[in-house]
Amino acid sequence: MALAVLATLALGERRYKDLMADVNGVEERVGWVSHPKPVTDKVLTDTLQRARDNGLVVRRAEGSQIGGSVWYRLTPSGKELLRALPPLATWAQQNRDNLANEAAATTDET
């Protein structure tokens, strides 16, 4: 879920409601791979709060609390993290069978 949010924010700053729609729209098209469908307000809020706490996302409020907009964007660290993920995904794909075999062997030992 967090990756879906960060990847969506890679496209630029998004209002909260647009971010939710974008994440749910992409996930619906690809078959709800990274999270249960659809993302709820609580799940998105919690995900964004963790990303803020970890310095990956910045929150910006515009206008009053009632009727105002809340915007989110990636920090430089969030952008750097996204650039680091493709090599990790490639490694995981290349080592999927080895990892599964090692996990099975570890389970058998216990």
Side-chain angles (χ1 to χ4, degrees):
M1 169 58 197
L3 183 56
V5 170
L6 295 177
T8 301
L9 289 174
L11 302 173
E13 187 176 53
R14 294 280 191 269
R15 285 188 310 174
Y16 178 88
K17 70 177 191 168
D18 295 333
L19 178 59
M20 179 178 281
D22 290 346
V23 168
N24 281 330
V26 168
E27 290 295 322
E28 184 173 20
R29 285 192 297 277
V30 298
W32 302 102
V33 178
S34 76
H35 61 83
K37 56 181 171 180
V39 171
T40 64
D41 277 326
K42 179 172 179 16
V43 170
L44 182 57
T45 298
D46 290 349
T47 300
L48 288 166
Q49 183 60 51
R50 283 192 310 275
R52 287 177 60 205
D53 291 347
N54 289 310
L56 302 174
V57 170
V58 173
R59 178 184 187 272
R60 177 175 64 89
E62 190 175 83
S64 67
Q65 281 190 329
I66 299 174
S69 294
V70 177
W71 296 75
Y72 290 89
R73 65 177 167 79
L74 291 177
T75 64
S77 292
K79 292 175 184 177
E80 186 178 348
L81 174 62
L82 283 177
R83 283 192 300 271
L85 290 176
L88 179 60
T90 299
W91 178 87
Q93 288 175 332
Q94 292 171 346
N95 292 281
R96 179 181 12 207
D97 292 338
N98 291 340
L99 294 170
N101 291 338
E102 289 176 15
T106 303
T107 304
D108 292 340
E109 290 173 4
T110 56

